[in-house]
Amino acid sequence: MLHLYAVTEHPAQLPAVRGIDDAALRTATSDGLDAVVSSIIQRDTALSQEAILAHARVVEEVAATNPAVLPARFGGAYPDDDAVAAAVRMRARELRLSLEEVRGSVEIGVRVVRTGPDQKVAAASGGEYMQARLARVREAEQLAASLAEAVNPVARAETHSVLATPELVVSAAFLVPRDAFDEVRAAVHRLGASQPQLSFLCTGPWPAYSFALVDKDRDEPS
Amino acid sequence: MPDSTALQQQVTLIELVDRVLNKGVVLAGDITLSVADVDLVYVGLRVFLASVATLERLDAA
């Protein structure tokens, strides 16, 4: 079986790193696109931390050595090169459009975590609980909008989710030029300074995982 | 007491796993992971995230 790490333009520059289980990287070419793959022993790649980190390392190195790279979600497995090429060919047009979107860009993650004391939702009824919950979602969406506005001068795209857990108020990702990390972090910290009950954490730069969804109906609004 | 670097590292690991498992290109219905597998990873991560918030609170105190 072959494990898929990323899709990029042909000819891909393969980095010197090795893949899952120390396997050598290679490419399967189709329609001017290269899929970066390595052999894996079994179909169900064990979902170990080592395998996840190996996948992430390969994606990062491929993204560092090629101008436009779409990271693959962990778990893409194919019987042989022909099967990979066929899967790429089926989506070639969308993959090319998506590659243009992420060209020369990196992704920056921003997590806004509630660190101050949480106001208890004292709800006497289901209706009151729903009202309180809605108010929180609205508040979180406003925060996400403020965050997007703060990063807007450099962002090429944005995606976010709110209240994935009660503490995780906003989880956002921004697609920005490779050299813009410090600028984004400064903008986020300026916003964070006005919100002492919240903690703003920037991560990255990442390969463009959150902007490599070629499906028409994306996971989240962008 | 965790310093901000340790916190940053924990959050970075969560963000990394989240990206690798939930984002990125999916080609023709090729993902072989079962929902149960992914859920198992996430059980660990939720505990992790809860502890990040708790640690931060301690740190600020």
Side-chain angles (χ1 to χ4, degrees), chain A residues 121-134:
Chain A
V121 180
S125 69
E128 279 178 35
Y129 175 82
M130 283 309 292
Q131 294 249 319
R133 165 86 193 157
L134 274 174

Side-chain angles (χ1 to χ4, degrees), chain A residues 32-43:
Chain A
L33 299 170
D34 273 350
V36 178
V37 298
S38 73
S39 293
I40 48 169
I41 292 148
Q42 56 195 24
R43 183 179 167 80

Side-chain angles (χ1 to χ4, degrees), chain B residues 1-20:
Chain B
M1 194 70 59
D3 58 21
S4 62
T5 312
L7 177 68
Q8 185 72 39
Q9 281 170 355
Q10 287 180 321
V11 173
T12 300
L13 181 61
I14 294 166
E15 291 256 297
L16 183 147
V17 174
D18 189 34
R19 282 178 169 74
V20 170

Side-chain angles (χ1 to χ4, degrees), chain A residues 4 43-44 47 55 70-78 91 107 109 111 115 167 199 202-203 206 209 212-213, chain B residues 8 11-12 14-16 18-27 30-33 37-38 41 49 53 56-57:
Chain A
L4 175 67
R43 183 179 167 80
D44 300 305
L47 187 57
H55 178 99
L70 300 175
R73 193 171 303 190
F74 187 95
Y78 301 86
R91 312 296 294 274
E107 174 178 331
R111 278 189 181 234
T115 52
E167 290 86 17
S199 212
C202 291
T203 61
W206 303 98
Y209 282 98
L213 307 168
Chain B
Q8 185 72 39
V11 173
T12 300
I14 294 166
E15 291 256 297
L16 183 147
D18 189 34
R19 282 178 169 74
V20 170
L21 296 184
N22 293 320
K23 309 287 160 85
V25 167
V26 177
L27 297 178
D30 58 348
I31 295 296
T32 55
L33 292 179
D37 284 341
V38 173
V41 172
L49 186 60
E56 249 260 326
R57 213 170 293 155

Side-chain angles (χ1 to χ4, degrees), chain A residues 1-5 18-27 35-41 45 58 76-78 84:
Chain A
M1 295 297 289
L2 297 174
H3 176 94
L4 175 67
Y5 297 92
R18 298 179 75 86
I20 292 168
D21 295 334
D22 206 35
L25 300 179
R26 66 171 205 271
T27 56
V36 178
V37 298
S38 73
S39 293
I40 48 169
I41 292 148
T45 306
V58 169
Y78 301 86
V84 178

